[in-house]
Amino acid sequence: MNTKDVSGKAPSLLGGAMIIAGTTVGAGMFSLPVVSAGMWFGYSVLMLLVVWFCMLMSGLLLLETNLHFEPGASFDTLTRKTLGQFWRVVNGASIAFVLYILTYAYISGGGSIVNHYLAGADVSLPQSAAALLFALVLAVIVFISTKAVDRVTSIMIGGMVISFLLAIGHLFSGVDSVKLWQPDGPQQFTPYIWAAIPFGLASFGYHGNVPSLVKYYGHRPALIVKALFIGTFVALVIYLGWLVATMGNLSRSNFSEIIAQGGNMGVLVEALGKTMPSSLLDSLLTLFANLAVASSFLGVTLGLFDYVADLFGFDDSHNGRIKTAAVTFLPPAIMGVLFPNGFLVAIGFAALAATIWAVIVPALMAYRSRQMFAEAKRFQVPGGTPLIALVIAFGVLTAVCHLLALADILPQFRG
């Protein structure tokens, strides 16, 4: 199938790769440096490489199943037709949970960033009020229309790229190799790897876009595989560069202080801002953080808004959109007011749910589709059943790590 866009040209590889990279890079930018402080830089790189490989493989397994169906088939259709009603319900519930918990995470993180900005302007505002303000302003944009989100997000991404390059350029120039490879504090690193794995998984969530790429490219597996590889690899490079910039400028003891203050986004940005030689660079870093969390919030909540409207049958009238907005935004906004510093906790729970729909379910669907379409000569991920077992084991391990960390059984770095 040779799919073409409205201009008559075949869809570009770069376009698909950037969709994947843009979707993938998100919460990991601000959670990874904090949760990686215990194992520090070397082990963080190793952990990210392993997680990237497993998440890439789970995405390819999802693609394998998707290619047995017509372009446009959704996650819901794939699970229902390959695994049945039970897994369809489980998968749908896990997706909804991830969307809600990420919305809360971004409200918490956004409130923290807003508070940091207002503090710089000598304005005092409770963290819960800052979170509510952040949520209210952006919720209005989602309520207006998808087109409004599209336009605002495009502007935000442009500003985000510019501010990021200017701010990180200085951070790279100030990297101290001694801080990277000979950190201060207790010289224990490996025990802290396990509790960080769920946050690594949450940093590579792009799987909801795989059906979209199949619809975009048609049944052209070679092109889609390249887009998935390039997009996730770009995200990996960005994350590794960010770890170099943060851990090369902040000592391990600095991260102890950040964790002691809740580990929220504003606390990390404030600590990095102190390494900046001028208020302009500090402002650019704050601007990047604001735009990053705001654009991620818009992307996640737009998906949640549409999901809620479809689930409850709300129409697109003014009253219908008010109902949809209430169901979409009120629960996470209330959580943001009651628990304003829950960014890291929320990302951890998002990872727990993501182990189901982004790791375990794609592997199970691939295993089942190989039985259902045994005669079909279509794309199949190399590695056979052992690879499927490896991906499932990774998902189970990640879920277990999160639960053990939640029960305070796994060691977690606090300085």
Side-chain angles (χ1 to χ4, degrees), residues 39-43 175-183 189 240 242-251:
M39 57 182 172
W40 207 241
F41 181 68
Y43 288 107
V175 166
D176 183 351
S177 60
V178 174
K179 288 181 179 178
L180 279 180
W181 299 109
Q182 299 177 29
F189 306 102
L240 293 177
W242 183 239
L243 287 181
V244 171
T246 52
M247 293 182 173
N249 281 275
L250 298 175
S251 65

Side-chain angles (χ1 to χ4, degrees), residues 383-396:
T385 304
L387 178 70
I388 292 177
L390 173 66
V391 171
I392 293 174
F394 168 72
V396 172

Side-chain angles (χ1 to χ4, degrees), residues 30-31 34-35 101-116 125-132 199 257-270 332-349 406:
F30 297 96
S31 61
V34 178
V35 300
I101 203 71
L102 282 179
T103 300
Y104 161 64
Y106 289 131
I107 289 175
S108 172
S112 178
I113 295 294
V114 169
N115 228 2
H116 169 65
L125 194 67
Q127 177 83 1
S128 56
L132 188 60
F199 295 90
E257 297 168 8
I258 293 170
I259 293 168
Q261 296 178 61
N264 215 324
M265 293 173 62
V267 183
L268 175 62
V269 170
E270 182 181 1
I334 291 172
M335 288 286 290
V337 171
L338 296 177
F339 308 101
N341 280 314
F343 174 70
L344 288 179
V345 174
I347 297 300
F349 275 108
L406 199 62

